[in-house]
């Protein structure tokens, strides 16, 4: 087990990588506890949950709403929860985002912690204090930034995760490598088969290095005014793709990262061989790099992206593998490049 301490303006957090669900009692430390989980996670792990009231939500993004928050608040009222108690989210990114939001708003904020059970939650969603829900089709539009007290990343729980969910989480690991950590990138290249078979030591290393990178960016820029934006590498395209095609997040991020790599080459920021190396790692991880898509639709979805300055759009691009930059480019130029890239990928 290895721990990483996150020290941010909104609070501090202990992240325990390789700790176990059963160890969580020592973090709860005698407090009364309400567990929020989803029905899949509960099915596999209910017997190992610590004692406390249990709230189960339906699995998936459709539960990340104010309606679910409302029903959880009602249960908390019934349990007569007070400010000395703790909310424990046990699950993937949906449970962490929702439990963190409930805990940050109920009684103007009570303590909370997570047992992150999906790869995406362990390397990304559980870390960094962004808590929130979707509203009227807009993802994560209602929320707060507040740190959990602790995050336990129990690597054994990844074994029951569906294969496509696990591989989807790898997209975010590759992202950290591409934007800021060439050693992690190379580590993934050299150990891809052990990573895909969830070898405990190798997976622990990958989660540890990913969390370290995220913590670094959060500590510099918790409220995302600069450096933290780099975590959006590939995501501007991914959000567009998810909307147009209904593609899973990890797959959309992979296609988005490959597009961003190719655009970096067109903008003369990145060597072509580096873009190919990125593409190759995405592919050997079992993730897609292209899709037969209408560039006009993609371009229209991206135009609405919030990172715009007049007729220029801010994109996270690469200068080399392991080094990213926020690059503003003319929207018309982006549209021409997208047209070209989509035509060539057919
Ligand atoms: N707060 C942030 O900074 C941040 C960052 C990235 C993503 N997110 C959010 O994270 C969410 C996606 O997270 P996710 O991919 O973990 O989705 P998820 O929580 O829906 O989990 C994916 C599926 O795996 C199941 N599952 C989770 N752990 C399991 C386990 N150990 N065994 C068996 N099944 C398990 C879940 O029930 C669900 O069906 C999105 O809502 C996204 O917006 C938040």
């Amino acid at each position: 087990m290895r721990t990483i301490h996150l020290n941010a303006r909104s609070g501090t957090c202990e992240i325990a990588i390789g700790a176990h669900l059963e160890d969580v009692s020592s973090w709860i430390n005698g407090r009364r506890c309400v567990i929020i989980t989803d029905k899949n996670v509960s099915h596999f792990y209910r017997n190992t949950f610590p004692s406390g009231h249990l709230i189960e939500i339906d699995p998936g993004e459709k539960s990340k709403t104010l309606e679910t928050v409302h029903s959880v608040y009602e249960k908390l009222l019934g349990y007569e929860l007070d400010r000395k108690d703790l909310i424990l989210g046990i699950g993937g990114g949906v449970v962490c985002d929702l439990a963190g939001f409930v805990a940050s708003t109920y009684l103007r904020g009570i303590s909370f912690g997570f047992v992150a059970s999906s790869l995406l939650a362990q390397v990304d969603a559980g870390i960094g204090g962004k808590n929130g829900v979707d509203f009227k089709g807009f993802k994560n539009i209602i929320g707060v930034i507040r740190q959990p007290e602790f995050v336990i990343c129990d690597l054994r729980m990844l074994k029951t995760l569906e294969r496509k969910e696990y591989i989807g989480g790898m997209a975010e690991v590759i992202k950290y490598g591409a934007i800021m950590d060439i050693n992690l990138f190379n580590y993934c290249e050299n150990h891809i088969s052990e990573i895909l078979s969830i070898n405990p030591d190798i997976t622990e290393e990958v989660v540890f290095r990913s969390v370290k990178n995220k913590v670094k960016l959060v500590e510099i820029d918790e409220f995302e005014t600069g450096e933290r934006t780099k975590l959006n590498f590939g995501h501007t395209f991914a959000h567009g793709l998810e909307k147009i095609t209904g593609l899973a997040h990890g797959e959309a991020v992979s296609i988005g990262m490959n597009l961003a790599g190719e655009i970096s080459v067109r903008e003369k920021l990145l060597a072509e061989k580096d873009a190919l190396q990125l593409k190759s790692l995405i592919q050997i991880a079992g993730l897609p790099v292209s899709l037969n898509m209408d560039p006009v639709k993609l371009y229209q979805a991206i135009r609405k992206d919030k990172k715009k300055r007049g007729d220029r759009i801010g994109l996270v691009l690469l200068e080399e593998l392991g080094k990213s930059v926020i690059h503003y480019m003319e929207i018309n130029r982006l549209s021409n490049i997208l047209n070209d890239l989509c035509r060539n990928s057919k």
Side-chain angles (χ1 to χ4, degrees), residues 226-240:
E227 283 294 291
R228 190 170 180 171
T229 320
K230 291 184 173 170
L231 293 171
N232 293 325
F233 178 61
H235 284 60
T236 304
F237 303 114
H239 294 148

Side-chain angles (χ1 to χ4, degrees), residues 38-41 44-45 58-61 64 91-97 116-121 124-132 134 139-140 154 156-162 165 169 172 175 214 228 235 249:
D38 76 25
K39 288 178 183 156
N40 286 340
V41 176
F44 286 110
Y45 298 103
D58 287 329
E61 191 71 27
K64 229 177 86 175
V94 165
V95 164
C96 294
D97 280 7
S117 66
S118 69
L119 183 59
L120 186 86
D124 193 358
I127 315 294
K130 278 191 183 177
N131 312 286
D134 307 331
K139 268 198 76 161
N140 303 324
D154 184 341
R156 298 170 316 171
M157 294 174 91
L158 300 176
K159 293 272 183 194
T160 52
L161 192 61
E162 275 189 25
E165 300 289 350
E172 306 295 342
K175 175 188 78 179
K214 178 137 191 198
R228 190 170 180 171
H235 284 60
H249 182 70

Side-chain angles (χ1 to χ4, degrees), residues 121-142:
Q122 297 186 355
V123 299
D124 193 358
I127 315 294
K130 278 191 183 177
N131 312 286
V133 295
D134 307 331
F135 184 63
K136 303 244 180 235
F138 292 92
K139 268 198 76 161
N140 303 324
I141 195 150
I142 312 283

Side-chain angles (χ1 to χ4, degrees), residues 51-112:
S51 53
H53 295 291
L54 182 61
I55 300 176
E56 290 178 347
I57 63 170
D58 287 329
E61 191 71 27
K62 63 182 183 306
S63 286
K64 229 177 86 175
T65 61
L66 287 174
E67 287 73 32
T68 312
V69 170
H70 188 276
S71 78
V72 174
Y73 285 155
E74 280 186 336
K75 292 194 172 111
L76 298 184
L77 272 178
Y79 301 149
E80 298 182 8
L81 202 71
D82 71 42
R83 299 195 63 188
K84 295 186 294 304
D85 301 330
L86 178 90
I87 288 190
L88 177 67
I90 306 180
V94 165
V95 164
C96 294
D97 280 7
L98 183 106
F101 181 73
V102 165
S104 300
T105 47
Y106 194 74
L107 295 174
R108 295 196 192 90
I110 60 177
S111 300
F112 65 107

